[in-house]
Amino acid sequence: MKRIGRIPGFAVTTLVAAMALSGPSQAGVTDQDILNDQATTEDVVSNGLGLRGQRYSPLTKVNGDTVQELRPVWAFSFGGEKQRGQESQPMVKDGVMYVTASYSRVFAIDVATGDELWEYNARLPDGIMPCCDVINRGVALYDDLVIFGTLDAKLVALDKDSGKVVWKKTIEDYKAGYSISAAPIVVNGKVITGVSGGEFGIVGKVEAYDAKTGDILWSRPTVEGHMGYVWKDGKKTEAGISGGQPGQTWPGDLWKSGGAATWLGGTYDPDTNLLFFGTGNPAPWNSHMRPGDNLFSSSRLAINPDNGEIVWHFQTTPHDGWDFDGVNELISFDYEDGGKTVKAAASADRNGFFYVLNRENGDFIRGFPFVDKITWAEGLDDKGRPILIEAGRPGNPADAKEGNKGQSVFSAPSFLGGKNWMPMAYSQDTGLFYVPSNEWAMDIWNEPVSYKKGAAYLGAGFTIKPLNEDYIGVLRAMDPKTGKEVWRYENYAPLWGGVLATKGGLVFTGTPEGYLMAFDAKTGEQKYKFNTGSGIVGSPITWEQDGEQYVSVVSGWGGAVPLWGGEVAKRVKHLNQGGTVWTFKLPKSAEVASR
């Protein structure tokens, strides 16, 4: 068992579990609960604290005056030898926390005591092929179900009270390189998921399943040329080819193994009834093998959740030759311009540019660098398309005079990106985005490669390098209307965890050094710092229970940096692995004393 206070907690845990299995349970999560998640404070029932993904809470008890009184109340260990990276965002409903851990595990924890209620272990096969650690980013909650994806590309629904499997669906063949690491989302009774595996030449896609039964409803490939499908009454029918026809922006048959994995999951905007999913790199990395824009790779897609239709797309890195992907979250927000409300959406791309789009039609509004150094493009044109620096693209191996290695180039950002998976936050109070970013570069070169099912499909080599001696990570407060950086916090190691903003005027995030930190949302002044004992690469949450405000974050160093980090890995080689949910709260006494 993996619980704090094991002996005294045993009777409580057993009683809670027995009540859950034999007596009436709390009401399940509804579509309305999910849609209202950002506005409600007593639970967290969506990834991103709201389907728009703003990661903003209206809670104010923990603020600049009281945050120093934030106290740890329990720490729950995932235990065993299965540690590695812990990138999960917990969910909380009716006093129970649901959180995923490395190696496709799910835990239910009693928030009042920190006791384990149940654990589900996916028992993965030996042949899984995750590119970037054995992480999982969280569950979706719906009705009485806890739904998550596994590293062997399955979607699993568990009973929220017992942890027993209610339904399980195979999404794709893990032997071909497919996996699932993202948290699914639920929109109008449909559980929506993407797939991982872009380094293996898979074909990205977004799919919808009936959340209660697991029956597939529609499938939309994210590589031009592949057929989409819808299912009605169990009957499968064609729903049109993505992009209209094959071969428009791909040479030959390369679209058949084109990548564009949807590995980070998506957001949803109820105003427009659109899903927003990002797509990963085209395959292979060697761009000289695939002249053209290679749609719909390295793009943001707006998808109709009712049938999977691609309504609009915006490609951030056409003909990507640096593995910049385009998966980073697209966050819906409104702002005023000339007395009119602009329905916008923003994304900080791995390529180093921050984009503001019209979320109704995908039109480019503005874009600007959010990192200090970009070498592959000199800017964006009036449509948001990058103005390339031709010498910034890795050379063609076919032009090599000796051997089969193309001309190496020094490129910034590195392929791990100005911002990678770690989600940013948006404050409705300051109008700022809080972006976890990194200042690093790479030497990158191309090599010949051919597709083989289940084998790495890169055609490139690289070495990552820090750009500064004293920091790599930078937490930035960015103004989406002006492109200006309002404040920054510099961190020695790369930042790899998510961000939370609150109406209490605080911004929370974690560092690889193990610190949970809070900053003043307007000024960037550090207000709180607590060492969790292992690097934080998860995303913090906050909620209110019994009149007290809680904050939780998962601690456990890992993810892509130590696996792909080159010279950067030297800065983090001493960091210890871990796997612990840390939960804090502001006691009522501290709240009263601050008044």
Side-chain angles (χ1 to χ4, degrees):
M1 305 292 277
K2 311 168 189 67
R3 58 173 72 94
I4 303 300
R6 176 178 175 182
I7 295 175
F10 179 78
V12 175
T13 302
T14 304
L15 177 61
V16 171
M19 291 174 63
L21 291 170
S22 60
S25 61
Q26 299 284 350
V29 175
T30 67
D31 291 306
Q32 202 61 38
D33 290 336
I34 296 171
L35 287 172
N36 292 339
D37 192 31
Q38 182 164 299
T40 58
T41 58
E42 71 277 4
D43 54 30
V44 178
V45 296
S46 65
N47 190 267
L49 282 77
L51 288 173
R52 290 183 174 91
Q54 292 183 354
R55 297 185 179 272
Y56 170 85
S57 170
L59 285 169
T60 60
K61 290 179 180 178
V62 177
N63 53 53
D65 295 327
T66 64
V67 67
Q68 287 294 338
E69 297 299 325
L70 193 65
R71 304 169 188 177
V73 289
W74 52 260
F76 176 89
S77 172
F78 296 139
E81 298 178 356
K82 295 181 176 181
Q83 296 188 35
R84 305 280 291 271
Q86 310 293 348
E87 293 186 0
S88 181
Q89 178 215 290
M91 300 281 205
V92 176
K93 174 66 173 172
D94 295 328
V96 178
M97 177 182 290
Y98 305 95
V99 60
T100 59
S102 54
Y103 292 96
S104 303
R105 294 172 291 162
V106 183
F107 293 84
I109 306 168
D110 185 338
V111 167
T113 63
D115 289 332
E116 177 183 305
L117 301 179
W118 53 257
E119 173 185 354
Y120 174 80
N121 192 320
R123 298 182 181 179
L124 300 167
D126 292 335
I128 59 170
M129 292 179 282
C131 85
C132 307
D133 207 359
V134 288
I135 57 92
N136 188 283
R137 298 188 175 96
V139 304
L141 301 181
Y142 190 71
D143 196 40
D144 292 330
L145 301 176
V146 179
I147 306 166
F148 83 115
T150 68
L151 289 172
D152 59 344
K154 290 182 172 63
L155 204 58
V156 183
L158 308 172
D159 181 274
K160 72 177 180 66
D161 297 322
S162 67
K164 293 183 178 180
V165 175
V166 176
W167 56 258
K168 182 188 295 185
K169 300 291 178 180
T170 297
I171 305 304
E172 264 298 348
D173 180 9
Y174 72 88
K175 295 179 181 179
Y178 285 91
S179 60
I180 301 176
S181 57
I185 62 173
V186 175
V187 175
N188 297 328
K190 303 177 183 68
V191 55
I192 317 290
T193 186
V195 293
S196 303
E199 274 60 60
F200 299 96
I202 58 92
V203 174
K205 60 180 178 177
V206 180
E207 292 187 331
Y209 294 79
D210 186 299
K212 290 188 177 182
T213 66
D215 294 336
I216 191 168
L217 300 174
W218 53 258
S219 178
R220 173 52 55 190
T222 53
V223 176
E224 175 187 272
H226 294 267
M227 180 64 71
Y229 297 93
V230 296
W231 283 257
K232 189 172 183 180
D233 299 325
K235 184 178 179 181
K236 177 181 179 180
T237 58
E238 292 184 349
I241 295 174
S242 298
Q245 59 184 351
Q248 295 183 95
T249 62
W250 292 84
D253 289 339
L254 281 179
W255 60 277
K256 293 182 179 179
S257 53
T262 47
W263 57 265
L264 190 53
T267 59
Y268 172 74
D269 173 44
D271 291 348
T272 57
N273 189 35
L274 290 174
L275 294 164
F276 300 128
F277 267 77
T279 62
N281 59 282
W285 286 19
N286 182 350
S287 61
H288 299 281
M289 295 176 60
R290 43 172 176 77
D293 281 356
N294 311 137
L295 291 173
F296 291 99
S297 69
S298 301
S299 300
R300 305 306 190 280
L301 305 181
I303 297 174
N304 184 332
D306 301 323
N307 57 20
E309 173 194 5
I310 297 176
V311 177
W312 57 256
H313 77 275
F314 182 87
Q315 190 172 40
T316 48
T317 313
H319 195 212
D320 186 353
W322 306 267
D323 186 40
F324 282 148
D325 285 31
V327 298
N328 289 359
E329 69 281 7
L330 187 64
I331 298 177
S332 300
F333 74 109
D334 296 341
Y335 69 92
E336 297 298 317
D337 184 16
K340 295 182 178 180
T341 299
V342 178
K343 291 187 177 299
S347 187
D349 200 89
R350 270 168 67 169
N351 68 19
F353 290 101
F354 191 103
Y355 297 84
V356 180
L357 309 177
N358 182 317
R359 69 178 186 264
E360 296 176 299
N361 55 25
D363 286 351
F364 176 72
I365 297 175
R366 70 182 62 89
F368 44 84
F370 68 94
V371 295
D372 295 336
K373 190 177 185 66
I374 296 176
T375 64
W376 67 280
E378 61 185 45
L380 305 174
D381 68 17
D382 60 359
K383 298 294 184 182
R385 192 176 178 93
I387 304 168
L388 297 179
I389 298 172
E390 288 304 320
R393 183 180 294 274
N396 189 346
D399 297 335
K401 295 180 180 179
E402 296 181 6
N404 60 0
K405 178 179 173 181
Q407 178 66 40
S408 177
V409 299
F410 177 80
S411 183
S414 79
F415 77 90
L416 287 176
K419 187 180 92 68
N420 200 280
W421 85 275
M422 54 280 194
M424 62 185 182
Y426 172 74
S427 170
Q428 298 177 6
D429 306 307
T430 65
L432 301 176
F433 281 89
Y434 301 96
V435 185
S437 61
N438 290 299
E439 293 291 337
W440 46 20
M442 62 182 172
D443 291 325
I444 182 171
W445 58 90
N446 289 148
E447 302 166 347
V449 69
S450 58
Y451 174 74
K452 181 180 179 181
K453 181 180 177 180
Y457 189 42
L458 300 184
F462 47 83
T463 301
I464 300 180
K465 303 177 178 182
L467 287 171
N468 304 284
E469 289 295 327
D470 51 347
Y471 68 94
I472 296 175
V474 183
L475 177 64
R476 290 174 157 95
M478 301 296 300
D479 188 331
K481 297 171 68 174
T482 66
K484 292 183 178 179
E485 179 184 287
V486 177
W487 58 259
R488 66 159 64 185
Y489 165 78
E490 296 172 353
N491 195 74
Y492 180 71
L495 293 180
W496 210 253
V499 182
L500 167 71
T502 75
K503 193 172 181 62
L506 296 174
V507 175
F508 288 89
T509 195
T511 72
E513 292 87 347
Y515 290 102
L516 174 66
M517 306 178 79
F519 302 87
D520 184 285
K522 293 181 179 179
T523 67
E525 178 187 356
Q526 187 181 124
K527 293 288 189 177
Y528 183 78
K529 185 176 182 180
F530 180 90
N531 195 331
T532 65
S534 181
I536 295 175
V537 294
S539 298
I541 62 168
T542 188
W543 76 100
E544 190 173 41
Q545 187 165 309
D546 298 327
E548 295 175 304
Q549 186 175 345
Y550 287 73
V551 174
S552 276
V553 70
V554 179
S555 169
W557 172 240
V561 175
L563 298 178
W564 297 75
E567 294 182 20
V568 170
K570 297 176 183 178
R571 293 201 184 186
V572 298
K573 65 180 180 180
H574 64 287
L575 299 179
N576 294 322
Q577 289 189 354
T580 302
V581 185
W582 281 90
T583 295
F584 308 78
K585 76 174 178 180
L586 183 71
K588 292 179 181 177
S589 58
E591 177 194 347
V592 171
S594 70
R595 291 176 180 172

